Amino acid sequence: MTLTVLAVDDSRTIRDMLRLALTEVGIEVHLAEDGVDGLERLAELEPDAIISDINMPRLDGFGFIEAVRLQDRHRATPILVLTTESAPELKARARAAGATGWIVKPFDPPKLVQALRMVTG
């Protein structure tokens, strides 16, 4: 079974790195550049998991995660936060918003793939 992932990050470099790391192990990747773009793309997708940055223009990761969780069809979709932030209060806020897990940038591709397989497993 092919995993489908929506990755939301305002950094083109990170989006490119995610696409490369995930497509080379057979994961289908859809990219969005901020929370607003992510919600628009989510309307057309049924991803197995979502990866989201926190610090983004227009709609940050917390707002994006909360908006995703308000949608019945995505209430249980795993969401991994991928960010440079590591403060415990931000992790707690992300969990409260509905995040499933937290990965700090720069990410290790095999560990990211392993985390995705764990949460979608």
Side-chain angles (χ1 to χ4, degrees):
M1 168 190 113
T2 304
L3 284 181
T4 302
V5 171
L6 172 64
V8 185
D9 199 299
D10 61 324
S11 161
R12 177 185 298 276
T13 305
I14 294 293
R15 289 195 308 269
D16 288 347
M17 288 168 61
L18 284 167
R19 180 186 3 229
L20 200 65
L22 301 178
T23 53
E24 77 180 18
V25 295
I27 295 174
E28 183 182 323
V29 184
H30 298 267
L31 301 169
E33 54 195 42
D34 62 32
V36 173
D37 190 29
L39 289 173
E40 288 168 2
R41 293 185 190 268
L42 199 54
E44 308 151 9
L45 287 174
E46 283 295 330
D48 298 298
I50 298 169
I51 297 171
S52 178
D53 187 12
I54 289 294
N55 300 311
M56 299 182 286
R58 296 202 301 167
L59 180 63
D60 71 7
F62 299 118
F64 171 71
I65 292 166
E66 286 166 358
V68 170
R69 289 299 183 226
L70 289 174
Q71 299 178 25
D72 284 338
R73 67 194 190 111
H74 298 299
R75 193 153 284 158
T77 305
I79 301 175
L80 294 178
V81 172
L82 179 66
T83 181
T84 53
E85 306 285 349
S86 60
E89 61 273 14
L90 291 177
K91 288 183 184 178
R93 190 173 158 204
R95 262 196 305 277
T100 312
W102 187 279
I103 296 170
V104 177
K105 294 175 189 171
F107 66 94
D108 176 43
K111 283 193 179 139
L112 177 64
V113 170
Q114 183 183 1
L116 282 169
R117 295 204 195 288
M118 260 173 41
V119 298
T120 57

